[in-house]
């Protein structure tokens, strides 16, 4: 026999001004299963809550309905009151008769009738509610950070300094990402390596950080607080404990391939170190370009000259399994590739470069030791054209979005160029200037006022080579004139894209991607560092184009979010999750296919629910033809009764 | 018309070698026509198998019974069942595989092609015979039906007697089989979804009059459900009496089972029953026509399911019963799914 | 029909968008006719065809299902399944001759209090001339 208590709130005149609350209480008292029905001026007040607690105790209520404002406001209040009186909090439900009734209707009779129907429907719901307790799962208090760029480094340090063990996985032989390739950073023109390498060293020395470079995440299973990760550790064939960075090996290696660190502007050997400041400080033997040591005898020259005997051709790839409680994905960006920008001559002409390539030219440790020289003939360029928005802001042909950092780094490039080549002229073709950060606007003005950079507002229509010059045809919309520049070098601010391999990784982690291929955040405004997958967080350019301060801020934010999980011994999860009725389930799998959280699996011809992954959306229940799966406390039976009550039945 | 001698040889072999438990096929009807379902356990009985245009049954329903039988046995015989299927029937097997109701190893599929014809329609046959008794129905070299009665032979052009669903056939030979008898001939479709044309040309009021009249006849005998291979649910959500229970179903659970409609054969309840059935068969019905054939009141049930089959194709590009690896119609979506009906 | 005929509408509102939009209409003190009684579900994807048929069977003159805009579903993609499933329901109901205006679906976000108000007003206005729904309604 059900014993439901109903409490109708006046909410001052908010409800009582339109709804005859006494009448509603009277009508509800007649409803089957209702043993207590009263109205009160402010249910959420202390005396109001006391009424509930008293009634629960005195009348031995097994369900409570409070007809008041939206459940968003006081559901927790009344559930707590119920709990205090000894009633399971999930047996207390709210009937919204304010926002969805008294506040939107004027006719008192009709509003009262509607309020009665709403309250009745919630009584019907509560009658079939189960007593539920929040689910609790133990937490593995370690974190995984995927990606060793500035965002991944920052997140790892924040987590490690908070006392949690971090596994930092990086696919390249060294951490540092793209930031380590930069020359100077805007708006301060700080030397990029100078500000980054201390953090990189801190990572390498931190007792709580397990650094796995030249490694890739292969598989992730499990759920928040309990992830199982498989990491592939590729062999470098060099023992970092023994390597002394003497560089003798590169002198004898016969293979030369394009150097990724210099974006193809120079070559490197099959055995190499990406940059002098690489962390870990060790060389790597690239077995894709070295004759495969396993099937052909490697030439053996590098091992011969290695005095510390650090080279070991017998190293094998390893699959390492780790357990973590939270994952931060910080896989960064790559620039829009040259295949997509043939119209501006990228990849076609040696003297058309992208922004990262130009950075390497500026860099003192770069291919030209910091001199700006044309790759074709190593002469100093006297006229350089910079083209902003190359591949960005172009929904018809390329990327629709703005890559955010290009205005700033192009201004920087133009300034650095002028600092290196005092008698050079820099032109920048732009659509708008986006310089919203601290000191950013002033920085751009500096480029114009102090370094004489010429800004031309217009797009470039054609880039082609003629007698050793790169001819650029564009337009200056402010004067209305067509422009032709016979440039010595052209630098394209290529669009920022999610890094190569990020899409495959997102599939393995079951992370959602947005329409441009970046990692999707849970909510664009209020949850920018969380993914839609519980326990997985996002940081840096992997989530959207951004500059270094934003990447660092987001990384710290992601670390803080991860700590909300790792700092607890157990996690609590809402218990209003799906439940399968095995006698009805035929194992057809239709529900498994629709679950947005992959919380359902087929086992031995029946469906099983992973209660920790299930968010209780109920899509499975509407898909099942047999009503064999229901969400606790919002079952189809309950809705059937609610429909009846809503129609006055 | 396909001669099934090759299938008979295969059937004999399977039974002799004990590779199948039994074979479901068609045998002589009790009254001349139609052919009747035949269950063969011994190799010598294989000669009783027939194949002619009166093989109207969709034998796949018997696979549902077989599965239920197996689930009640403590040590079930795990060998497959042999089954003779037409093109349409084979698509039912694809759907059952798609829904993992049966395993591919549970069936040995003896497929037979309808080649350029198909099966007959009961009502049309009866009308043609006008009281005479048909002894056999064959197909001649010109793809005409040849009916042998006590008065002799009558030749009829196939279109006159073909079942309505054959005139919009999607698969005149099986799409899945272990052996196939007959040619994989192309058969020009009459018109896909041709049977819906009349209905769709009516106004809403006319359609309501039609369905009201038809569904008022319904006595809720559930023959349509019993005949349909896809209605294999142990408990039908719109039938409040057949409850699927196990040893540990509590009294409370039984009492709380939702009664969406009443069992009484009133207009409204009949309508909801058939609407729910149609929706539950969307993306699963392969138009074998058994529901309509089984209905004692001649309710044109095909027209309900066909409508949703057409919508599935036109709105969502979804075709039933060809690919067992496809997700169910309601278990997938496309970004371009139409939403002009949504405010 | 009777001058005082008021259509009865059952509305299934998803908690995170449409119900919140309805709340916003309340907070903004917008006004709309009281013909709609709302049932809050977690996601439009959880609205089974059984709910729609049952609502009509129990006497609803109109049924509304409202969810998050495509791409904004709190549960990522429930509304896409709702869109597909309820399109089939709508086509089926129209096919058997139920007036097409009686079953409606809308996308209302948590910010669209105005839109919700308008959806309800339009719905009531469109239903009034049709009179009570008798085709699927069970006779008492």
């Amino acid at each position: 026999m059900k014993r439901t208590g109903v409490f109708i709130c006046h909410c001052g005149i908010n409800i009582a001004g339109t709804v005859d609350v006494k009448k509603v209480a009277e009508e509800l008292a007649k409803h089957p299963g209702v043993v207590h029905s009263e109205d009160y001026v402010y249910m959420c007040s202390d005396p109001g809550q006391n009424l509930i607690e008293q009634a629960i105790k005195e009348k031995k209520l097994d369900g409570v309905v409070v007809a008041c404002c939206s459940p968003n406001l006081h559901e927790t209040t009344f559930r707590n009151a119920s709990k205090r009186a000894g009633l399971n909090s999930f047996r207390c439900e709210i009937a919204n008769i304010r926002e969805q009734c008294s506040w939107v209707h004027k006719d008192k009779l009709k509003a009262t009738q509607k309020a009665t129907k709403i309250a009745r429907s919630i009584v019907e719901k509560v009658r079939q509610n189960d007593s539920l307790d929040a689910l609790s799962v133990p937490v593995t208090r370690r974190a995984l950070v995927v990606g060793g760029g500035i965002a991944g480094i920052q997140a790892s340090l924040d987590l490690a300094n908070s006392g949690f063990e971090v596994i930092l996985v990086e696919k390249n032989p060294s951490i540092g990402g793209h930031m380590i390739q930069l020359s100077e950073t805007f708006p301060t023109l700080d030397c990029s390596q100078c500000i980054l390498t201390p953090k990189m060293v801190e990572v390498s020395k931190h007792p709580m950080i397990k650094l796995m470079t030249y490694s890739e995440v292969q598989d992730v299973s499990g759920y928040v607080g309990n992830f199982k990760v498989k990491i592939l550790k590729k062999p470098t064939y060099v023992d970092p404990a023994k390597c002394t960075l003497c560089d003798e090996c590169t002198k004898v290696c016969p293979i030369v391939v394009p150097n990724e660190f210099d974006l193809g502007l120079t070559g490197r050997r099959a055995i190499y170190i990406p940059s002098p400041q690489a962390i870990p400080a060790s060389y790597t033997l690239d077995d894709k370009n070295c004759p495969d040591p396993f099937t052909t005898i490697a030439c053996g020259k590098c091992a011969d000259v290695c005095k510390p005997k650090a080279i070991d051709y017998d190293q094998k790839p390893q699959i390492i399994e780790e357990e973590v409680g939270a994952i931060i994905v910080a896989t960064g960006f790559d620039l829009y590739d040259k295949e997509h920008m043939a119209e501006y001559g990228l990849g076609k002409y040696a003297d058309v470069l992208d922004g990262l390539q130009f950075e390497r030219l500026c860099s003192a440790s770069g291919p030209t030791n910091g001199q700006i020289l044309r790759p074709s003939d190593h002469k100093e360029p006297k006229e350089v054209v910079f083209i902003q928005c190359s591949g960005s802001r172009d929904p018809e042909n390329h990327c629709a979005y703005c890559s955010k950092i290009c205005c700033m780094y192009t201004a920087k490039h133009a300034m650095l160029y002028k600092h290196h080549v005092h008698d050079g002229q820099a032109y920048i073709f732009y659509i708008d200037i986006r310089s919203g950060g601290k000191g950013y606007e002033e920085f751009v003005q500096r480029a114009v006022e102090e370094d004489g950079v010429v800004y031309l507002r217009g797009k470039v229509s054609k880039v082609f080579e003629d007698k050793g010059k790169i001819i650029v045809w564009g337009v200056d919309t402010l004067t209305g004139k067509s422009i032709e520049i016979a440039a010595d070098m052209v630098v394209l601010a290529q669009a920022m894209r999610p890094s190569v391999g990020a899409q495959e990784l997102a599939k393995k982690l079951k992370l959602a991607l947005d329409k441009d291929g970046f990692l999707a955040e849970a909510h664009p405004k209020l949850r920018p560092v969380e993914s839609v997958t519980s326990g997985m967080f996002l940081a840096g350019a992997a989530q959207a184009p951004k500059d270094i301060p934003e990447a660092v801020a987001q990384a710290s934010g992601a670390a803080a979010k991860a700590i909300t999980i790792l700092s607890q011994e157990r996690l609590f999860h809402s218990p209003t999750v799906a439940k399968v009725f095995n006698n009805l389930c035929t194992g057809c799998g239709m529900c498994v296919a629709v679950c947005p959280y992959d919380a359902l699996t087929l086992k031995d011809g029946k469906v099983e629910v992973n209660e920790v992954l299930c968010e209780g959306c109920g899509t499975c229940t509407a898909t099942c033809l047999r009503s064999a799966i229901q969400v606790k406390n919002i079952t189809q039976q309950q809705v059937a009764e609610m429909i009846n009550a809503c129609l006055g039945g | 018309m396909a001669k099934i001698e090759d299938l008979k040889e295969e059937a004999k072999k399977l039974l002799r070698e004990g590779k199948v438990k039994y074979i479901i096929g068609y045998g002589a009807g009790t009254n001349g026509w139609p052919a009747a379902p035949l269950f063969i356990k011994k190799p010598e009985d294989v000669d009783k198998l027939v194949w002619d245009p009166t093989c109207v049954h969709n034998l796949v329903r018997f696979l549902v019974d077989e599965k239920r039988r197996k689930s009640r046995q403590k040590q079930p015989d795990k060998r497959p069942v042999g089954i003779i299927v037409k093109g349409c029937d084979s698509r039912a097997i694809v759907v059952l595989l798609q829904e993992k109701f049966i395993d591919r190893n549970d069936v040995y599929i003896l497929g037979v092609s309808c080649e350029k014809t198909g099966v007959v329609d009961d009502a049309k046959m009866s009308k043609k015979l006008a009281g005479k008794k048909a002894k056999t129905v064959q197909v001649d070299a010109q793809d005409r039906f040849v009916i042998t009665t006590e008065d002799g032979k009558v030749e009829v052009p196939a279109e006159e007697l073909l079942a309505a669903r054959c005139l919009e056939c999607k698969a005149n030979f099986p799409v899945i089989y272990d052996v196939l008898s007959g040619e994989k001939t192309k058969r020009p479709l009459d018109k896909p979804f041709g049977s819906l044309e009349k209905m769709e040309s009516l106004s809403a009021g006319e359609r309501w009059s039609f369905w009201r009249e038809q569904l008022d006849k319904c006595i809720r005998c559930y023959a349509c459900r019993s005949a349909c291979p896809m209605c294999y649910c142990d408990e039908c959500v719109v039938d409040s009496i057949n409850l699927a229970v196990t040893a540990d179903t509590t009294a409370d659970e039984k009492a709380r089972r939702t009664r969406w409609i009443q069992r009484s054969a009133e207009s409204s309840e009949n309508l909801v029953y058939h609407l729910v059935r149609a929706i539950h068969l969307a993306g699963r019905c392969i138009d074998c026509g058994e529901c309509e054939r089984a209905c004692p009141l001649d309710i044109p049930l095909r027209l309900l399911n066909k409508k949703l089959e057409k919508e599935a194709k036109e709105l969502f590009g979804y075709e039933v019963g060809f690919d067992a690896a496809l997700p169910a119609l309601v278990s997938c979506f496309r970004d371009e799914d139409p939403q002009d009906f949504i405010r | 029909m009777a001058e005082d005929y008021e259509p009865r509408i059952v509305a299934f509102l998803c908690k995170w968008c449409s119900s919140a939009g309805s709340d916003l209409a309340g907070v903004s003190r917008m006004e709309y006719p009281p013909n709609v009684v709302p049932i809050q579900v977690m996601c439009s994807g959880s609205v089974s065809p059984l709910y729609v048929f049952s609502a009509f069977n129990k006497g609803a003159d109109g049924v509304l299902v409202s969810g998050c805009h495509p791409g904004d579903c709190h549960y990522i993609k429930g509304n896409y399944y709702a869109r597909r499933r309820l399109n089939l329901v709508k086509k089926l109901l129209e096919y058997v001759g139920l007036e097409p205006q009686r079953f409606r679906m809308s996308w209302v976000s948590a910010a669209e209090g105005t839109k919700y108000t308008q959806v309800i007003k339009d719905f009531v206005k469109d239903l009034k001339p049709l009179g009570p729904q008798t085709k699927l309604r069970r006779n008492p």
Side-chain angles (χ1 to χ4, degrees):
Chain A
M1 200 52 230
K2 289 293 165 189
R3 301 181 63 79
T4 313
V6 179
F7 303 85
I8 318 290
C9 185
H10 295 215
C11 196
I13 55 157
N14 283 317
I15 296 176
T18 316
V19 170
D20 183 346
V21 287
K22 292 219 177 303
K23 185 94 202 299
V24 176
E26 269 168 37
E27 288 299 313
L28 267 293
K30 301 179 201 160
H31 196 90
V34 173
V35 299
H36 178 98
S37 181
E38 67 174 310
D39 59 282
Y40 185 68
V41 60
Y42 290 112
M43 285 304 305
C44 54
S45 63
D46 280 344
Q49 292 182 53
N50 278 334
L51 286 177
I52 297 177
E53 295 176 57
Q54 245 180 293
I56 291 174
K57 290 182 193 145
E58 285 172 11
K59 300 238 175 130
K60 299 193 187 352
L61 299 180
D62 61 15
V64 163
V65 170
V66 185
C68 55
C69 51
S70 166
N72 292 338
L73 300 168
H74 283 302
E75 185 178 76
T76 314
T77 312
F78 296 122
R79 283 194 167 168
N80 284 339
S82 304
K83 203 162 150 192
R84 285 195 297 272
L87 178 69
N88 182 281
S89 57
F90 288 93
R91 283 182 171 263
C92 167
E93 295 277 0
I94 308 300
N96 182 342
I97 60 169
R98 190 182 75 172
E99 281 85 338
Q100 298 193 359
C101 188
S102 70
W103 268 353
V104 288
H105 305 314
K106 289 249 156 63
D107 183 323
K108 290 190 180 174
L109 177 62
K110 298 209 171 123
T112 306
Q113 285 171 346
K114 178 169 160 175
T116 309
K117 288 180 187 167
I118 293 176
R120 279 216 188 100
S121 74
I122 301 297
V123 168
E124 287 300 321
K125 180 179 199 265
V126 142
R127 272 158 60 105
Q128 295 193 57
N129 269 8
D130 290 326
S131 290
L132 298 173
D133 293 305
L135 304 164
S136 131
V137 287
V139 176
T140 308
R141 302 169 82 179
R142 302 162 85 218
L144 171 71
V145 177
V146 184
I150 180 61
I153 288 170
Q154 184 62 48
S156 302
L157 288 172
D158 287 336
L159 283 163
N161 288 330
S162 305
F164 298 102
E165 203 189 322
V166 181
I167 301 157
L168 175 55
V169 174
E170 164 59 50
K171 71 179 180 198
N172 289 321
S174 167
I175 54 174
H178 285 301
M179 190 175 165
I180 197 76
Q181 292 169 300
L182 305 182
S183 170
E184 280 105 328
T185 58
F186 58 79
T188 47
L189 294 182
D190 275 54
C191 152
S192 185
Q193 284 95 344
C194 304
I195 55 176
L196 180 58
T197 45
K199 284 196 193 274
M200 287 166 62
V201 170
E202 207 188 326
V203 164
S204 72
K205 301 240 180 302
H206 207 297
M208 296 297 275
I209 299 181
K210 181 172 167 179
L211 181 57
M212 292 177 69
T213 52
Y214 217 45
S215 302
E216 290 178 34
V217 171
Q218 291 296 101
D219 186 63
V220 173
S221 63
Y223 48 90
V224 59
N226 294 275
F227 292 111
K228 289 190 175 28
V229 192
K230 289 199 178 117
I231 302 165
L232 168 66
K233 193 164 175 25
K234 298 183 292 195
T236 58
Y237 304 101
V238 177
D239 183 350
K242 295 187 180 152
C243 176
T244 60
L245 310 173
C246 66
D247 206 41
E248 291 301 310
C249 48
T250 64
K251 297 192 176 108
V252 299
C253 177
I255 310 280
V256 178
V257 291
N259 184 357
E260 299 90 352
F261 194 80
D262 284 336
L263 297 131
L265 291 176
T266 54
R268 62 160 174 83
R269 305 289 165 168
I271 186 160
Y272 71 108
I273 189 166
S275 85
Q277 290 124 332
I279 298 279
S282 174
Y283 276 59
T284 299
L285 175 55
D286 166 16
D287 66 10
K288 295 236 169 359
N289 291 298
C290 172
D292 187 340
F294 300 101
T295 56
T296 333
I297 301 171
C299 75
K301 294 200 172 84
C302 53
D304 284 341
V305 300
C306 179
K307 292 209 179 59
K309 296 273 171 275
I311 298 177
D312 173 12
Y313 295 132
D314 289 327
Q315 272 191 17
K316 302 249 187 305
Q318 296 173 273
I319 301 278
I320 299 184
E321 296 194 18
E322 297 279 3
E323 287 182 14
V324 295
I327 300 178
I328 297 181
V329 183
T331 46
F333 73 96
D334 277 317
L335 289 184
Y336 199 41
D337 56 63
K338 57 180 191 286
E339 278 76 45
H340 283 105
M341 227 66 218
E343 74 214 56
Y344 283 165
L346 189 62
K348 205 164 150 193
Y349 307 122
D351 297 320
V352 175
L353 309 172
D354 69 33
L356 272 175
Q357 286 175 316
F358 191 77
E359 282 286 343
R360 295 309 303 147
L361 285 186
C362 295
S363 172
S365 57
T368 52
N369 295 315
Q371 287 182 281
I372 313 277
L373 300 175
R374 282 160 42 107
S376 58
D377 55 16
H378 283 237
K379 290 209 172 80
E380 213 174 47
K382 296 297 180 192
E383 309 247 307
V384 177
V385 170
F386 297 88
I387 304 178
Q388 292 188 184
C389 302
S390 180
S392 303
R393 302 187 63 185
D394 190 352
E396 270 121 20
N397 304 308
H398 304 289
C399 307
Y401 54 87
C402 163
S403 292
K404 204 164 191 196
I405 57 171
C406 321
C407 291
M408 288 308 296
Y409 75 63
T410 304
K412 176 189 76 172
H413 284 169
M415 286 163 72
L416 292 179
Y417 165 66
K418 287 290 296 194
H419 296 173
H420 281 106
V421 181
H422 300 293
D423 59 342
Q425 180 59 58
Y427 305 92
I428 300 182
F429 279 95
Y430 74 101
I431 305 175
D432 294 290
I433 296 297
R434 290 165 174 187
S435 49
K438 221 175 201 183
Y440 285 21
E441 178 61 23
E442 298 92 312
F443 183 79
V444 176
Q445 291 305 324
R446 216 177 109 187
V448 174
E449 288 161 17
E450 289 181 21
D451 294 301
V453 176
V454 172
Y455 274 84
L456 299 162
R457 190 180 183 282
K459 289 195 83 164
V460 168
S461 58
K462 195 164 173 175
V463 173
F464 59 96
E465 199 178 37
D466 186 34
K467 303 190 190 72
K469 293 275 206 185
I470 311 282
I471 311 296
V472 177
W473 285 357
V475 66
D476 175 5
T477 58
L478 295 178
T479 58
K481 296 207 167 103
S482 298
I483 306 278
E484 175 180 303
I485 302 177
D488 297 309
M489 181 185 277
V490 172
V491 183
L492 305 179
Q494 285 291 84
M496 264 176 117
R497 295 292 302 139
S499 77
V500 170
Q503 201 178 23
E504 286 75 33
L505 179 70
K507 251 198 204 128
K508 286 181 189 148
L509 268 54
K510 301 199 193 73
L511 278 177
L513 297 176
D514 69 19
K515 63 173 168 52
D516 298 307
F518 290 96
L519 297 176
E521 58 288 307
H523 189 280
K525 285 281 202 233
L526 296 180
R527 299 174 71 190
V529 302
E530 298 165 78
S531 75
V532 283
T533 311
S534 208
M536 295 199 193
F537 305 98
L538 318 172
Q543 179 257 342
K546 56 174 63 72
D547 55 24
I548 292 165
E550 288 171 334
V552 171
Q554 199 180 34
S556 294
K561 285 287 180 190
I563 290 172
T564 62
I565 294 172
L566 303 177
S567 59
Q568 303 179 65
E569 280 189 19
R570 300 191 77 83
L571 275 183
F572 289 96
H573 181 74
S574 166
T576 50
V577 293
K579 175 179 159 179
V580 178
F581 290 85
N582 280 337
N583 58 328
L584 299 171
C585 176
T586 62
C588 72
M590 286 192 201
C591 59
V592 175
V594 302
C595 179
Y597 303 99
D598 290 328
L600 303 173
T601 43
L602 268 173
K603 190 156 175 246
D604 298 329
K606 300 282 180 196
V607 171
E608 277 186 0
V609 182
N610 179 331
E611 294 193 334
V612 182
L613 286 179
C614 173
E615 294 285 318
C617 70
T619 305
C620 53
T621 69
T623 308
C624 181
L625 305 179
R626 298 152 195 117
S627 299
I629 187 164
Q630 299 290 339
V631 174
K632 293 181 192 173
N633 286 8
I634 180 81
T635 62
Q636 293 184 333
Q637 293 95 302
Q638 286 171 295
V639 175
E641 296 299 335
M642 289 169 81
I643 291 172
N644 204 15
C646 285
L647 289 164
Chain B
M1 189 171 91
K3 300 266 178 264
I4 55 165
E5 299 313 313
D6 44 358
L7 287 190
K8 285 184 183 174
E9 278 312 304
E10 184 67 24
K12 281 190 190 148
K13 187 154 157 264
L14 291 168
L15 287 167
R16 262 201 304 269
E17 294 173 8
K19 289 241 168 75
V20 298
K21 273 190 282 213
Y22 57 88
I23 291 181
I24 317 171
Y26 301 99
T30 48
N31 200 27
W33 72 279
L38 183 64
F39 294 79
I40 302 178
K41 290 208 166 101
K42 295 186 268 198
E44 49 271 28
D45 289 336
V46 168
D47 289 317
K48 293 184 191 162
L49 282 174
V50 304
W51 170 246
D52 63 45
T54 70
C55 293
V56 299
H57 290 77
N58 182 350
L59 301 173
V60 176
R61 175 70 199 193
F62 294 113
L63 294 179
V64 175
D65 299 333
E66 170 60 30
K67 175 162 173 167
R68 288 202 174 131
R69 197 177 304 128
K70 267 204 315 216
S71 68
R72 289 194 294 265
Q73 292 166 343
K74 283 213 164 69
Q75 279 166 330
D77 183 340
K78 296 225 173 98
R79 291 178 296 167
V81 165
I83 181 169
I84 295 192
V85 289
K86 311 188 282 293
C88 43
D89 309 333
S90 71
R91 288 168 63 214
I93 295 187
V94 170
V95 177
L96 292 182
L97 288 172
Q98 195 181 358
E99 297 177 1
K100 304 175 200 39
F101 187 72
I102 55 172
D103 217 50
R104 186 61 182 90
N105 312 335
D106 291 334
V107 281
Y108 193 93
I109 307 172
L110 302 152
V112 56
S113 169
C114 289
E115 292 184 331
K116 292 223 179 97
T117 56
V119 297
V120 300
D121 176 82
D122 289 9
K124 291 179 188 171
M125 264 288 276
S126 297
K127 200 158 159 217
K128 193 78 198 174
L129 287 171
K132 291 202 254 252
K133 208 172 128 116
K135 290 207 200 129
T136 63
V137 181
Q138 303 291 325
V139 178
D140 66 14
Q142 284 79 43
D143 292 321
R144 281 177 308 197
F145 287 140
V146 179
I147 311 173
T148 312
T149 67
E150 60 256 30
D151 293 340
K153 286 194 185 267
V154 179
E155 280 159 8
V156 187
E159 309 83 70
E160 267 189 46
L161 291 184
L162 275 177
R165 59 196 176 85
C166 294
L167 295 172
E168 25 183 19
C169 172
K170 288 234 169 78
N172 60 317
F173 55 84
V175 304
I176 181 177
Y177 54 84
D178 288 301
V179 288
L180 178 66
S181 181
E183 298 300 313
K184 287 189 191 177
T185 42
K186 263 232 161 312
R187 219 200 79 160
L189 293 182
D190 227 31
K191 207 181 294 178
F193 306 114
S195 51
L196 289 175
E197 265 183 25
K198 174 125 192 295
M199 281 299 298
E200 289 184 325
S201 68
L202 299 176
S203 69
E206 288 169 325
R207 281 202 299 277
W208 167 245
S209 301
F210 177 82
W211 285 111
R212 165 75 194 234
E213 191 190 311
Q214 293 297 330
L215 293 176
D216 262 359
K217 295 192 282 185
C218 177
I219 56 172
R220 303 275 283 290
C221 66
Y222 301 115
C224 49
R225 194 178 71 189
S226 307
C228 175
M230 257 56 90
C231 278
Y232 56 71
C233 308
D234 289 321
E235 181 178 306
C236 176
V237 296
V238 272
D239 180 4
S240 46
I241 294 189
N242 76 330
L243 302 178
V245 294
T246 60
D248 35 72
T249 312
T250 65
D252 195 45
E253 280 172 358
K254 289 183 203 170
R256 294 206 310 193
R257 210 55 74 75
T258 319
R259 278 134 182 87
W260 294 102
I261 51 173
Q262 289 178 336
R263 251 221 165 190
S264 51
E266 295 164 46
S267 268
S268 60
E269 312 308 275
N270 288 352
L271 199 51
V272 175
Y273 166 79
H274 284 286
L275 288 175
V276 173
R277 185 162 177 272
I279 271 284
H280 279 188
L281 286 171
R284 304 171 68 229
C285 169
I286 43 82
D287 198 13
C288 65
E290 288 293 84
C291 50
E292 195 173 279
R293 204 176 61 78
C295 177
L297 279 318
D298 293 326
I299 300 171
L301 293 171
R302 275 190 65 239
L303 291 180
L304 265 181
N305 298 313
K306 203 73 189 169
K307 171 65 176 171
L308 288 184
E309 192 191 322
K310 179 168 182 228
E311 296 301 338
K313 178 89 205 292
E314 291 184 353
L315 297 175
F316 310 125
Y318 192 87
E319 284 209 273
V320 189
F322 290 97
D323 181 358
L326 270 187
L329 170 67
V330 293
S331 292
C332 58
F333 63 86
R334 299 176 311 177
D335 284 332
E336 61 265 29
D337 276 353
Q339 52 180 41
D340 45 351
F341 70 104
I342 304 179
R343 308 250 153 157
Chain C
M1 85 219 42
E3 268 297 314
D4 51 0
Y5 163 65
E6 287 293 344
R8 292 184 302 162
I9 302 170
V10 176
F12 297 93
L13 307 177
C14 86
K15 173 175 171 166
W16 302 96
C17 283
S18 295
S19 191
S22 170
D23 279 351
L24 178 60
V27 167
S28 319
R29 306 298 199 281
M30 298 186 182
E31 205 190 319
Y32 54 83
N35 304 62
V36 176
V37 184
I39 294 181
Q40 183 179 279
V41 293
M42 295 307 267
C43 179
S44 53
S46 72
V47 176
S48 165
L50 290 166
Y51 295 174
V52 178
F53 297 139
S54 179
F56 283 124
N57 183 247
K58 293 278 165 69
D61 300 304
V63 174
L64 173 70
V65 176
S66 187
C68 307
H69 288 260
D72 296 343
C73 179
H74 180 83
Y75 300 103
I76 311 170
K77 47 187 182 162
N79 55 354
Y80 291 119
Y81 294 113
R83 177 173 70 180
R84 181 173 272 214
R85 197 183 303 129
L86 295 173
N87 198 346
L88 289 171
V89 167
K90 190 167 170 68
K91 289 280 185 298
L92 184 62
L93 286 171
E94 284 173 24
Y95 181 65
V96 298
L98 191 73
E99 297 90 329
Q101 298 93 310
R102 291 198 185 273
F103 174 57
R104 205 159 280 202
M105 214 179 141
S106 63
W107 299 138
V108 171
S109 80
E112 293 181 305
T114 318
K115 183 174 180 188
Y116 183 73
T117 308
Q118 198 55 50
V119 165
I120 303 299
K121 282 184 177 162
D122 289 343
F123 203 7
V124 175
K125 184 158 138 276
D126 292 341
L127 281 178
K128 276 212 167 128
L130 300 179
Q133 184 269 121
T134 51
K135 298 185 164 93
L136 288 172
R137 181 185 184 162
R138 180 195 310 179
N139 287 320

